[in-house]
Amino acid sequence: MPCLVVTSAKGGVGKTTASLILGTEFAHAGYEVKVIDCDPNRSATRYFRACNENGNRPERLELVEEQDKSTIVKTIRDLDRDGTIVIVDLPGASSQLMSRAISMADLVITPTKPQKVDSEIGYETTELIREEEEVLGRKVHHSFVLNETSYVASKEAKGVEQGLVAQGIDLIKPDLTKRVPYSWLFTFGGDLRTMPPHSGTEKAQMQAALFRDAVLERLTRILNEEAA
Ligand SMILES: Nc1ncnc2c1ncn2[C@@H]1O[C@H](COP(=O)(O)OP(=O)(O)O)[C@@H](O)[C@H]1O
Ligand SMILES: [Mg+2]
């Protein structure tokens, strides 16, 4: 059971968006996916509500409703079935819940906006993970993805990217560009294929699939390493 934990010490950086892009794209690719909503704001749950209203919840994609620090570890363990991909969507603050979710993760993903202040706070997440590694006595695989980037990278965005790479951070490519179809997941439910037409839909679909594959490639490598 691969377990992905999407987290950042910062709110509003695209954690739920990244969780839903991955969830819908993995489900589309044939995987059973469970999205665990750990945020009291219930953003992921709102997406599933939109799916129910529109009758378009993707096949194989299921919600596990609000989990907290006392239930998260058992919930992830109980979902431990071959092939099921578990995606944990956390709130934007460091907490015991975050630590416990991280302790169960095969891969932690931190989205960050391409602005200096966001990446600095995002980077604090790596420090939290380092502390978790000490507690757990094992490596925790951690990758970043730039979210809400522009089609043409600004000087600041390039600086943020270079800064992350210089710190030895694994940056997942492609970035997630700021695109209306991504925000429409919350509005229309479904996936990038079922929403109303938009000029950016095709590019969003291509980018989302490449992002999914980049995450899958990492997960496969990590799980192989763990099995060896
Ligand atoms: N790549 C993106 N393109 C367009 N809108 C985005 C993108 N990423 C996030 N958003 C929007 O920004 C807001 C915050 O995103 P969200 O995923 O809820 O952040 P978080 O879970 O980190 O708090 C939402 O309204 C979401 O639709
Ligand atoms: Mg969220």
Side-chain angles (χ1 to χ4, degrees):
M1 167 220 59
C3 177
L4 285 169
V5 171
V6 183
T7 189
S8 167
K10 195 162 189 321
V13 291
K15 293 181 297 297
T16 306
T17 302
S19 299
L20 295 177
I21 290 172
L22 288 173
T24 51
E25 289 301 311
F26 278 129
H28 181 74
Y31 293 90
E32 296 288 333
V33 185
K34 309 279 186 197
V35 174
I36 307 183
D37 189 357
C38 289
D39 191 342
N41 289 328
R42 295 172 159 262
S43 299
T45 302
R46 282 170 215 273
Y47 158 77
F48 281 93
R49 209 175 291 152
C51 292
N52 290 341
E53 282 163 13
N54 295 296
N56 61 4
R57 180 167 58 79
E59 243 181 280
R60 297 177 289 273
L61 182 65
E62 279 176 36
L63 168 72
V64 180
E65 283 194 65
E66 197 178 336
Q67 298 296 313
D68 59 29
K69 66 174 182 187
S70 57
T71 53
I72 187 67
V73 170
K74 183 171 186 306
T75 299
I76 296 173
R77 269 203 197 115
D78 288 350
L79 292 171
D80 192 350
R81 285 193 287 274
D82 276 350
T84 299
I85 298 180
V86 176
I87 300 172
V88 184
D89 182 30
L90 287 169
S94 60
S95 61
Q96 257 182 315
L97 166 64
M98 181 177 175
S99 300
R100 288 183 185 168
I102 288 171
S103 76
M104 300 298 287
D106 294 296
L107 175 63
V108 179
I109 298 176
T110 300
T112 184
K113 292 193 195 180
Q115 276 100 38
K116 196 162 176 284
V117 60
D118 292 86
S119 71
E120 281 170 7
I121 298 170
Y123 186 73
E124 285 170 17
T125 315
T126 57
E127 281 156 18
L128 292 168
I129 288 178
R130 221 163 278 148
E131 289 167 24
E132 293 305 321
E133 287 181 321
E134 274 172 32
V135 174
L136 297 167
R138 69 167 175 90
K139 182 170 172 52
V140 175
H141 297 273
H142 184 208
S143 305
F144 275 65
V145 62
L146 291 172
N147 181 40
E148 292 199 56
T149 54
S150 316
Y151 308 97
V152 182
S154 65
K155 214 171 164 192
E156 186 179 21
K158 284 182 191 154
V160 165
E161 175 159 350
Q162 284 162 3
L164 291 171
V165 171
Q167 288 171 95
I169 281 168
D170 175 45
L171 201 54
I172 301 173
K173 287 287 169 180
D175 306 336
L176 297 172
T177 312
K178 186 175 175 71
R179 287 180 204 276
V180 169
Y182 292 149
S183 59
W184 273 5
L185 285 170
F186 293 101
T187 315
F188 295 107
D191 65 20
L192 295 169
R193 289 159 197 82
T194 61
M195 56 182 53
H198 184 275
S199 57
T201 306
E202 208 176 309
K203 283 190 175 144
Q205 288 172 1
M206 278 162 46
Q207 185 175 59
L210 290 172
F211 176 57
R212 171 202 66 204
D213 290 345
V215 171
L216 196 56
E217 186 260 327
R218 282 168 175 77
L219 273 179
T220 308
R221 183 161 31 87
I222 291 163
L223 293 174
N224 284 341
E225 271 170 33
E226 282 171 6

